[in-house]
Amino acid sequence: MEIKMNLLEKVKSLNELEYLIYVYLNKDKNRVKDLKLKDVADELHVSQSMVTRVCKKLGFDGFSEYKLHLRYTEENSQKVKSEKLNYLLDYFQRSTTESSIAQIKTVANAIVDSSEVLFFGLGLSSAIAKYAALLFNRKGFRTAFVDDMSWRVENIYDSKTLAIILTVSGETEEVNKVILNLKNRGLKVVVISNKEISTAAKLADYSIGYYVPNNRDKYFHNSATQVPVIHIIESISDEIQSLMKA
């Protein structure tokens, strides 16, 4: 069955009564997919042909195909959720290996030895970078959050400053230019990205990769879950706390 596209445009073409039927069909999909056409018509107090007409206006052959679409969407959604959960479980299992723990400890030590920590990120990474800056500030470190990649570092920061770059792909040109600029100014750079073979990771002094499936859509948005990034940041934070108590 062909997946129906441009649904929003089709919804706009509905009149008031048709739109109310669409809202009903769309409101409780799990229930609607198991109903008969007559049941829907009776509940809405409209004719069966009216329900069928709305389904056709939405791009389906009729109510039966609309229900097939709902079942397909549900099955696909469950599959995606299951796959994402498996990848996360795999990540958390990998995070307990000696090499992963050693990476966290290395970065934590570098932070303890620094005078200030700068967090850089764009898009969703910027929101996590801001969270990280607030978290580390509560641990007693001078921190700053930067989402403007034109940020100047000349005569402001020195070699005791550590920069932590959050980037999913590690291939964003403006982010990699920032890394080069920071290193040219003598700053140490940590990159947290999906893969340690990324350009950004190779440019960094330290890198941590989390390795989860990632695709970029036509708007260059990454699909990779950011749960591992939060976990890495909090693991570093916990390790810092342990080092400061020692």
Side-chain angles (χ1 to χ4, degrees):
M1 179 187 65
E2 179 186 359
I3 298 175
K4 307 303 173 180
M5 306 298 290
N6 301 320
L7 183 60
L8 180 59
E9 291 302 316
K10 290 168 182 172
V11 170
K12 289 179 180 178
S13 71
L14 302 177
N15 62 37
E16 186 174 352
L17 176 58
E18 291 168 344
Y19 179 73
L20 291 175
I21 294 172
Y22 162 73
V23 170
Y24 172 87
L25 294 175
N26 198 56
K27 182 174 64 174
D28 190 357
K29 297 176 182 178
N30 286 332
R31 180 170 173 271
V32 169
K33 67 181 175 59
D34 295 321
L35 293 178
K36 295 179 179 178
L37 175 60
K38 181 179 183 302
D39 297 329
V40 174
D42 289 346
E43 286 197 25
L44 291 172
H45 304 292
V46 298
S47 66
Q48 294 181 38
S49 60
M50 175 62 78
V51 177
T52 300
R53 187 170 78 181
V54 171
C55 291
K56 288 184 175 181
K57 277 197 169 186
L58 294 174
F60 303 94
D61 292 337
F63 182 62
S64 294
E65 190 184 16
Y66 177 75
K67 290 200 299 180
L68 285 175
H69 165 71
L70 291 182
R71 290 194 180 101
Y72 171 83
T73 303
E74 180 187 31
E75 290 171 2
N76 195 50
S77 174
Q78 291 299 325
K79 181 181 178 182
V80 170
K81 288 178 182 178
S82 177
E83 288 179 349
K84 180 173 285 189
L85 178 59
N86 287 334
Y87 284 121
L88 282 175
L89 291 173
D90 176 65
Y91 160 75
F92 283 116
Q93 188 174 24
R94 285 186 280 110
S95 71
T96 61
T97 62
E98 287 186 15
S99 60
S100 295
I101 294 171
Q103 285 181 317
I104 297 296
K105 288 184 175 180
T106 297
V107 172
N109 276 292
I111 291 171
V112 170
D113 290 339
S114 66
S115 60
E116 186 168 2
V117 182
L118 304 178
F119 286 93
F120 289 79
L122 286 175
L124 289 177
S125 293
S126 71
I128 300 176
K130 184 176 183 180
Y131 164 76
L134 291 171
L135 179 64
F136 281 59
N137 182 263
R138 291 187 177 186
K139 300 292 183 182
F141 289 91
R142 288 180 58 190
T143 61
F145 151 65
V146 184
D147 61 353
D148 179 0
M149 293 301 144
S150 64
W151 184 272
R152 301 290 294 271
V153 297
E154 293 89 336
N155 303 319
I156 303 176
Y157 304 104
D158 56 27
S159 60
K160 292 291 288 180
T161 302
L162 183 75
I164 299 181
I165 313 290
L166 306 183
T167 169
V168 177
S169 70
E171 302 299 340
T172 306
E173 184 178 357
E174 54 193 317
V175 172
N176 290 339
K177 284 182 178 178
V178 166
I179 296 173
L180 287 172
N181 185 37
L182 292 170
K183 288 180 66 66
N184 287 336
R185 297 295 170 180
L187 280 70
K188 294 293 185 182
V189 175
V190 177
V191 165
I192 301 175
S193 64
N194 194 30
K195 296 180 180 179
E196 289 178 81
I197 60 171
S198 68
T199 301
K202 290 177 180 178
L203 291 172
D205 297 286
Y206 314 99
S207 68
I208 299 177
Y210 40 95
Y211 298 95
V212 295
N214 179 49
N215 293 303
R216 301 186 79 182
D217 62 20
K218 63 181 180 180
Y219 304 107
F220 303 102
H221 295 156
N222 293 292
S223 66
T225 174
Q226 295 294 280
V227 171
V229 182
I230 297 291
H231 179 257
I232 289 167
I233 289 167
E234 295 194 349
S235 296
I236 294 170
S237 173
D238 292 341
E239 182 61 26
I240 289 171
Q241 199 162 24
S242 298
L243 290 171
M244 294 178 71
K245 287 180 179 178

